[in-house]
Amino acid sequence: GDSVTQMEGPVTLSEEAFLTINCTYTATGYPSLFWYVQYPGEGLQLLLKATKADDKGSNKGFEATYRKETTSFHLEKGSVQVSDSAVYFCALEGAQKLVFGQGTRLTINP
Amino acid sequence: DTEVTQTPKHLVMGMTNKKSLKCEQHMGHRAMYWYKQKAKKPPELMFVYSYEKLSINESVPSRFSPECPNSSLLNLHLHALQPEDSALYLCASSLRAGGPDTQYFGPGTRLTVL
């Protein structure tokens, strides 16, 4: 069945560091791919999405490119801020439902 | 406007209580979802409604009873819950079920079962 694998956390970085959170997937066909972010005590917010191969999703300085050949959708940001501290979930659109990775907890220190 | 609202924000109930969670969206979405999220875990899908009809039930115990009275409203009725049902319950909606449509999530109801 469909599945998503994220790099294990927690990840701790200093402010202005470069961020990469790895995400790979297994699926039949070419599903849409998403990154959601969850701040403490809140629900999930869509961060970015890509619907086909080579699409690049971007938002708030975050980027991810849909790589069909490596079945990956890695999240990157060039310079993180303390306010980026949250849990990040990679997900794919399966049959009428989202399939989530396990989540990566990110902490940014000033 | 991409807002999904959920009430209440917090709920504490005993194992013999009956309570309901409410979810509302006014984006014209025709698919609505209930998820359960335990601490430090991803959300787990419970139910999917498509055009006000239940289309997916992920083998959820009958003590959870969903209801979709109209295209904007989704309820989750709770009865005789167990302490292990304590979790964050998230509602989401999308234009349609399946396909590339984004699911928009509400802030959740944090449920504690005593």
Side-chain angles (χ1 to χ4, degrees):
Chain A
D2 297 345
S3 66
V4 175
T5 303
Q6 281 181 244
M7 66 184 286
E8 290 192 22
V11 174
T12 303
L13 295 172
S14 297
E15 206 165 20
E16 298 183 3
F18 184 86
L19 169 71
T20 300
I21 301 178
N22 289 339
C23 170
T24 57
Y25 66 91
T26 302
T28 47
Y30 303 106
S32 293
L33 301 174
F34 304 85
W35 277 100
Y36 282 88
V37 59
Q38 187 172 31
Y39 297 101
E42 298 185 11
L44 275 68
Q45 298 177 24
L46 176 70
L47 184 58
L48 52 85
K49 66 183 273 191
T51 58
K52 60 183 188 298
D54 300 324
D55 264 3
K56 177 186 281 190
S58 62
N59 185 26
K60 299 181 181 179
F62 290 91
E63 292 183 341
T65 301
Y66 192 139
R67 301 285 188 201
K68 184 179 66 174
E69 60 278 7
T70 54
T71 61
S72 65
F73 193 53
H74 305 321
L75 183 68
E76 296 183 335
K77 186 175 185 182
S79 177
V80 292
Q81 307 299 313
V82 172
S83 57
D84 294 327
S85 298
V87 179
Y88 292 80
F89 291 98
C90 185
L92 64 82
E93 176 64 39
Q96 291 194 63
K97 61 182 182 181
L98 287 172
V99 177
F100 287 96
Q102 287 302 303
T104 301
R105 181 172 299 275
L106 174 66
T107 301
I108 307 299
N109 293 322
Chain B
D1 182 12
T2 56
E3 189 178 27
V4 175
T5 59
Q6 289 187 245
T7 54
K9 192 172 176 61
H10 300 277
L11 179 62
V12 179
M13 59 186 292
M15 289 190 284
T16 58
N17 292 156
K18 283 186 182 181
K19 297 286 185 183
S20 296
L21 309 185
K22 179 180 171 181
C23 172
E24 202 160 2
Q25 56 86 16
H26 296 287
M27 296 179 277
H29 289 175
R30 302 311 298 271
M32 297 186 78
Y33 310 79
W34 280 116
Y35 289 85
K36 173 183 177 180
Q37 187 180 25
K38 300 285 274 186
K40 299 186 178 181
K41 295 290 187 183
E44 298 174 20
L45 183 68
M46 300 173 72
F47 303 103
V48 179
Y49 273 82
S50 179
Y51 292 88
E52 294 105 72
K53 288 185 170 35
L54 184 64
S55 62
I56 293 180
N57 176 342
E58 293 282 16
S59 304
V60 178
S62 60
R63 57 186 184 268
F64 295 91
S65 175
E67 178 196 20
C68 189
N70 60 58
S71 60
S72 300
L73 192 55
L74 185 67
N75 298 319
L76 186 63
H77 303 297
L78 314 173
H79 174 54
L81 295 192
Q82 304 297 308
E84 59 265 28
D85 296 322
S86 298
L88 181 68
Y89 288 83
L90 294 165
C91 174
S93 72
S94 64
L95 192 60
R96 299 159 299 176
D101 298 323
T102 300
Q103 289 189 28
Y104 294 93
F105 284 80
T109 293
R110 187 160 300 281
L111 174 67
T112 303
V113 182
L114 301 176

